[in-house]
Amino acid sequence: MSTSIFYHAGCPVCVSAEHDIINLIGADNVEIVHIGEDKSRIAEAEQAGVKSVPALVTPTKNVLHLNFGASIADVKA
Amino acid sequence: MSTSIFYHAGCPVCVSAEHDIINLIGADNVEIVHIGEDKSRIAEAEQAGVKSVPALVTPTKNVLHLNFGASIADVKA
């Protein structure tokens, strides 16, 4: 099965959504990326169309913004 | 496995997210509810904490608003 990527920044909304996504699709099916800690991957997230976190990029490259924790601009700051 | 509920209103953002969710968690694990057509279930969605569609209510009753298609107020109008 193809893997989704879950981008987050450690915010409470992010942590809650991370638990939900892992419960729903399984930890093996999603890569968790903390772009607050790993800023080298912010550009990749933006390229994928991520505007805010938490967000899930599906295997088909659609972006699902899950609720709203922080904008990418906030994460960069 | 417990079932999630996906609330939508037929909007393009809703349809796209519906496809993503079915691909990710499987059609058997999610009930699809079109609250634009079945307005009797709008109150249930609001009670669950749904503010806009598309939204997924998880088996643990968390609400994940997926991108933004329309507010509940828009659906009621």
Side-chain angles (χ1 to χ4, degrees), chain A residues 19-70:
Chain A
H19 290 160
D20 290 332
I21 289 297
I22 287 176
N23 285 336
L24 288 169
I25 71 178
D28 291 346
N29 298 319
V30 58
E31 179 189 4
I32 308 293
V33 177
H34 189 323
I35 57 173
E37 291 179 346
D38 189 353
K39 291 183 185 275
S40 70
R41 297 193 65 177
I42 292 177
E44 163 200 312
E46 286 184 306
Q47 193 73 26
V50 173
K51 309 285 189 204
S52 63
V53 287
L56 186 75
V57 178
T58 71
T60 54
K61 307 300 179 202
N62 282 338
V63 181
L64 293 173
H65 297 93
L66 306 169
N67 297 328
F68 180 82

Side-chain angles (χ1 to χ4, degrees), chain B:
Chain B
M1 184 176 175
S2 304
T3 303
S4 301
I5 306 178
F6 179 82
Y7 293 100
H8 76 105
C11 54
V13 170
C14 296
V15 172
S16 173
E18 181 183 336
H19 291 159
D20 290 331
I21 289 298
I22 288 176
N23 286 336
L24 289 169
I25 71 177
D28 292 346
N29 298 320
V30 58
E31 179 189 4
I32 307 293
V33 177
H34 190 323
I35 57 173
E37 292 179 346
D38 188 355
K39 290 182 185 275
S40 70
R41 297 193 63 178
I42 292 177
E44 163 199 313
E46 285 184 306
Q47 193 73 28
V50 174
K51 308 285 189 203
S52 63
V53 286
L56 187 74
V57 178
T58 71
T60 53
K61 308 298 181 203
N62 282 338
V63 182
L64 294 173
H65 297 93
L66 306 168
N67 298 328
F68 180 83
S71 69
I72 290 286
D74 290 336
V75 177
K76 284 181 178 173

